Amino acid sequence: MFKALTLTKETDGKTQAALAAITDSDLPDGNVLVRISYSSLNYKDGLAISGRSPVVRKFPMVPGIDFAGTVLESSQANIKSGDEVILNGWGVGESHWGGLAERARVKGDWLVPMPAGMDAKRAMAIGTAGYTSMLCVMALQDRGVRPEHGPVLVTGANGGVGTIAISLLANLGFSVHASTGRLEESAYLNSLGASEIIERSELGSPGKPLQKERWAAAIDSVGSHTLANVCASLRYGGTVAACGLAQGMDFPSSVAPFILRGVGLIGIDSVNAPMERRLVAWSRLARELPWNVLEANTRTIGLASVPESAMELLAGNVRGRLVVDLSI
C-alpha cells in the first residue's frame, strides 16, 4: 500500500480531493514503475484539484502533471531499475494517473533521464513551470531574439513560470521587465534579475490594437487582455512566447501588430513537446539556472497540504514554486 491524492467527481458535479491508500495493482497500464520522491504543484494542478477547469479527463484520477523519482521496474530496454528520471506532461494527471502519489506506472517514452548535476528535489523545484520557462526562452532565441535588441517582458512574474523565466533571461544577459499584481514583491523580483517592475493593471484591461513600442520580446503566462496588450506594445519584429491563461483563454486582439509591425506569437506546449526538445531544455536548466534562485524560490509541502495549497496558488498567493515531498 502507498499513499496518493485522488480526485473523484461527486453526484453534484464537484471535484473531491482526498488522500487514499492504493496498491500497484490499482495503477494504470505502463511499462515502467517509478518510486516518486518529489512532485510539484503547478497552476494546472490547482485547476484539476479545484475542478475550476475541465483539466481531468476521467475519474478517479491521481493529479500531478510532473514528478521525479527512481525506476523500480522496467520492461523498456533503455530504462533500467535504479535510473533517476523526470516526467512532465504527456497527459499525466489529466488522463493518466499522475505524480501526487508515492508511485506511478507510465510509458518509458515519457521519461527524461535526470541531467548530470541535478537531483529529484531540484528537478521538481524547477518542475513543469521551469521546464516551460526554458521552452519559452528557447523559442525566443530560435526566433533570433538577443539581449542587444531590447528589454524582454515577463508577465505573471511572481508565479512559477515567471520567476524562473526572469532568472534564466537575466542570466543570459537580457534586460528583463516584470509584470506583477503584487508590487510588494518588487525587491524579490529585482533580486532575480528584473530591472523594471510593472503593475499588472497596466496590461490587464482592454487596450488599443497598436500601442507604444516598449519590448523586444515577451514571455506571457497570463493570456486574455494582457497578451493582447503585450502584442500591441512589442517593437517591430518582436516575439511573444505564450504559455499560459491565468487571466483567460480569450485573445481580444487584432491583426494590427502582426501585419504592421511583424510581431510573432509563438505558442508553447510543454505537454506534448518532442523528446529532443525536452532533453535540450533539461540539459540547459541544469547548466544555466542558478541554484541559489531555486532555494529562495521554493517552498516544500507534504501531500496532505496539497489541496489547501492549490487554493492559495489559484488565488495568486504563492510566490515561486511549491515542491511536494512524497516522504512527508
Side-chain angles (χ1 to χ4, degrees):
M1 302 286 286
F2 58 90
K3 62 184 178 182
L5 184 70
T6 60
L7 303 181
T8 55
K9 180 170 279 190
E10 303 300 293
T11 54
D12 59 5
K14 293 182 179 179
T15 299
Q16 181 68 38
L19 288 179
I22 61 177
T23 67
D24 287 352
S25 62
D26 296 317
L27 294 172
D29 291 340
N31 58 356
V32 179
L33 179 66
V34 180
R35 182 180 67 243
I36 299 173
S37 303
Y38 294 92
S39 185
S40 73
L41 192 57
N42 299 277
Y43 192 82
K44 184 182 281 188
D45 298 319
L47 292 175
I49 292 165
S50 68
R52 293 186 188 179
S53 181
V55 170
V56 176
R57 312 292 174 81
K58 60 181 179 180
F59 293 89
M61 177 58 59
V62 173
I65 63 172
D66 56 20
F67 63 73
T70 306
V71 173
L72 294 174
E73 300 173 5
S74 172
S75 60
Q76 184 158 314
N78 64 329
I79 299 174
K80 296 179 175 55
S81 175
D83 286 353
E84 298 292 317
V85 293
I86 302 168
L87 184 142
N88 305 98
W90 298 118
V92 169
E94 302 176 61
S95 56
H96 188 98
W97 284 15
L100 291 173
E102 292 182 287
R103 293 189 178 197
R105 184 180 287 118
V106 296
K107 293 182 179 180
D109 290 341
W110 296 346
L111 297 169
V112 172
M114 187 72 67
M118 189 179 289
D119 59 27
K121 186 172 184 179
R122 285 179 172 178
M124 285 300 99
I126 295 169
T128 292
Y131 152 66
T132 303
S133 298
M134 180 54 84
L135 291 178
C136 290
V137 170
M138 289 164 58
L140 295 184
Q141 291 181 313
D142 289 347
R143 174 86 178 195
V145 178
R146 298 192 299 275
E148 60 266 29
H149 293 160
V152 177
L153 174 69
V154 175
T155 67
N158 271 298
V161 171
T163 50
I164 294 179
I166 291 168
S167 180
L168 288 170
L169 288 166
N171 199 47
L172 289 167
F174 287 92
S175 172
V176 185
H177 295 182
S179 169
T180 180
R182 290 186 278 164
L183 293 181
E184 68 275 12
E185 299 283 5
S186 294
Y188 170 68
L189 296 176
N190 290 146
S191 75
L192 294 177
S195 59
E196 183 173 325
I197 310 299
I198 297 163
E199 217 290 322
R200 178 173 60 195
S201 60
E202 280 191 41
L203 299 169
S205 300
K208 296 178 180 179
L210 281 179
Q211 301 171 33
K212 179 182 176 181
E213 296 182 40
R214 302 173 68 178
W215 302 292
I219 293 176
D220 176 67
S221 60
V222 178
S224 192
H225 290 291
T226 297
L227 177 56
N229 286 321
V230 170
C231 290
S233 302
L234 286 189
R235 297 178 181 181
Y236 189 90
T239 302
V240 184
C243 64
L245 41 72
Q247 187 179 11
M249 290 185 65
D250 59 322
F251 181 47
S253 183
S254 78
V255 298
F258 310 107
I259 64 174
L260 298 180
R261 288 186 183 162
V263 165
L265 176 58
I266 302 174
I268 304 300
D269 168 43
S270 63
V271 175
N272 296 299
M275 184 55 69
E276 310 83 66
R277 199 76 169 162
R278 293 167 184 265
L279 293 172
V280 171
W282 277 105
S283 176
R284 288 189 59 179
L285 285 162
R287 298 193 313 268
E288 298 176 21
L289 183 62
W291 292 123
N292 63 311
V293 170
L294 289 178
E295 292 171 355
N297 193 42
T298 303
R299 175 159 57 98
T300 302
I301 61 175
L303 191 60
S305 300
V306 166
E308 180 181 354
S309 297
M311 299 306 106
E312 290 182 57
L313 182 63
L314 293 179
N317 295 327
V318 173
R319 183 179 81 180
R321 300 282 296 135
L322 287 170
V323 170
V324 183
D325 183 343
L326 273 300
S327 70
I328 61 176

